[in-house]
Every structure is written in structure tokens, then in C-alpha cells.
Amino acid sequence: EAGVAQSPRYKIIEKRQSVAFWCNPISGHATLYWYQQILGQGPKLLIQFQNNGVVDDSQLPKDRFSAERLKGVDSTLKIQPAKLEDSAVYLCASSLMAGAYNEQFFGPGTRLTVL
Amino acid sequence: AQSVTQLGSHVSVSEGALVLLRCNYSSSVPPYLFWYVQYPNQGLQLLLKYTSAATLVKGINGFEAEFKKSETSFHLTKPSAHMSDAAEYFCAVSEEQGAQKLVFGQGTRLTINP
């Protein structure tokens, strides 16, 4: 079974530029998550999708971050414009269904450096 | 709101020695508790989870954790460390009710000395 795929793996941009990350979850997984992991910290949930609907985006900085999951499969996360403090690893995860009882499977992440 | 505290950002043990990684949680309702492992340049992998069944939970790679409600703890142990156990370990909590989202601790980096 193929795991969660993410691209690119690494991205370096200058502040005020835009960037987009892509995630393809495990086939058949209805729930998709984007996490931000700042160096030295644990992952923090940015947004959770159930199929193509948003379940929780309470910690997404909506003035600069946006995410979509068209057709309920793959997803993109965009930052526009980027700030220095956005430097982090962005992790995508998926699970068969929503709810903490269901295991989340994580992708390898995209490491973003903002200069 | 729930939270997790991992005591010790860095733990170093000798190969063959006991591994003990500490996790304390805060939750207003019965929690689900998890341990994840992250190897360099990889995503997180679930080691084990507690979901209100047996308080002693066995996971992959010889790890286990015990849920102690009175101490609000969920410490991770392994009797004998192996070089391949070197990684970052994260404890996480979620509540059975409500949003059920995962809240992670800050992580503990485990180093194994030969």
C-alpha cells in the first residue's frame, strides 16, 4: 500500500514570496490533515478535511494560509505572502475516517525555509 | 483544552539499557494517548495508543507504555535499547469527545550510545 505522498520535499523562498505544497493521501482515506512542525516543537494542526469539506481550521492563519482539497482526494496548502516565522516542516497526514481512534498516517513532509 | 508535557528534550542511553521517555498530559475528559516516532527526514509513525482499554499498551519495536490516571502520565519504555531506536519521540493526546484532534508534546530526542 502506497503511503502519503508530499511534494516538494524541500523549498527555499524569500519572505513575501508565495509557495504551495501538495499532498496525496492514502487511497480511500476520507480525512486529511495539514500540520506545521517548527524546529524543536511537536506538530501543530493547521487544518483538517473530511472528504472535501473543512472540519477544523481554527489554527490556520487565514490572512496568509489557504488550503483546498478539491474532489476529496489530494490537497494543496498555500502560503501567500510568506514570513520568516513560516520556516518549518509541513506534514500531511491521512486517516480512514475522522476521530482520534483512527490512526493517522504521515507523509515525509516539506521542509520550508524562508529567507 | 488538552495539553502534553514531555520531560526532557534529549535523552541519552547506552545500547542495551532501559529506555524511559516521560509524558504527562492534561485533559478535562477521558483521553486517548499516543506515542509517535520520527526518524530523520521522515514523517511520524505510530508506536502505540491508549484508548481506554488495557492500561498497559504494547507497541511496535518492543516499546510499551502505561496509562496512569492518578499521575496523568503515559511514559514510554523499552527494556533494552537498540541503535536503531535513535529518533525523535512525540507524545500526543486527544479527547474522546469533541473535535478529537491530536495535540503533540514538544518531543524527546533519543540518542543511543554504543
Side-chain angles (χ1 to χ4, degrees), chain A residues 58-105:
Chain A
S58 58
Q59 297 191 92
L60 186 74
K62 298 180 187 63
D63 57 334
R64 298 183 300 106
F65 285 65
S66 64
E68 60 182 12
R69 192 184 183 198
L70 299 176
K71 301 181 182 178
V73 182
D74 51 352
S75 175
T76 56
L77 176 70
K78 297 179 182 178
I79 308 175
Q80 180 180 5
K83 293 185 175 181
L84 295 177
E85 59 260 36
D86 297 333
S87 293
V89 175
Y90 291 85
L91 295 165
C92 179
S94 70
S95 62
L96 198 57
M97 293 179 291
Y101 191 86
N102 295 286
E103 180 178 351
Q104 293 185 28
F105 295 84

Side-chain angles (χ1 to χ4, degrees), chain B residues 5-76:
Chain B
T5 301
Q6 291 184 239
L7 299 175
S9 59
H10 190 192
V11 170
S12 181
V13 302
S14 298
E15 191 174 17
L18 171 72
V19 175
L20 171 61
L21 304 182
R22 300 177 186 274
C23 171
N24 288 88
Y25 71 91
S26 171
S27 177
S28 56
V29 298
Y32 289 161
L33 293 159
F34 307 79
W35 276 99
Y36 281 84
V37 61
Q38 187 176 34
Y39 297 102
N41 298 315
Q42 296 185 28
L44 281 71
Q45 180 184 6
L46 182 66
L47 272 179
L48 49 81
K49 65 181 179 183
Y50 166 77
T51 55
S52 71
T55 57
L56 182 63
V57 182
K58 294 188 183 299
I60 62 172
N61 302 337
F63 284 93
E64 62 181 37
E66 186 172 9
F67 172 67
K68 292 187 177 180
K69 184 178 179 181
S70 62
E71 299 178 7
T72 61
S73 69
F74 190 57
H75 302 331
L76 182 70

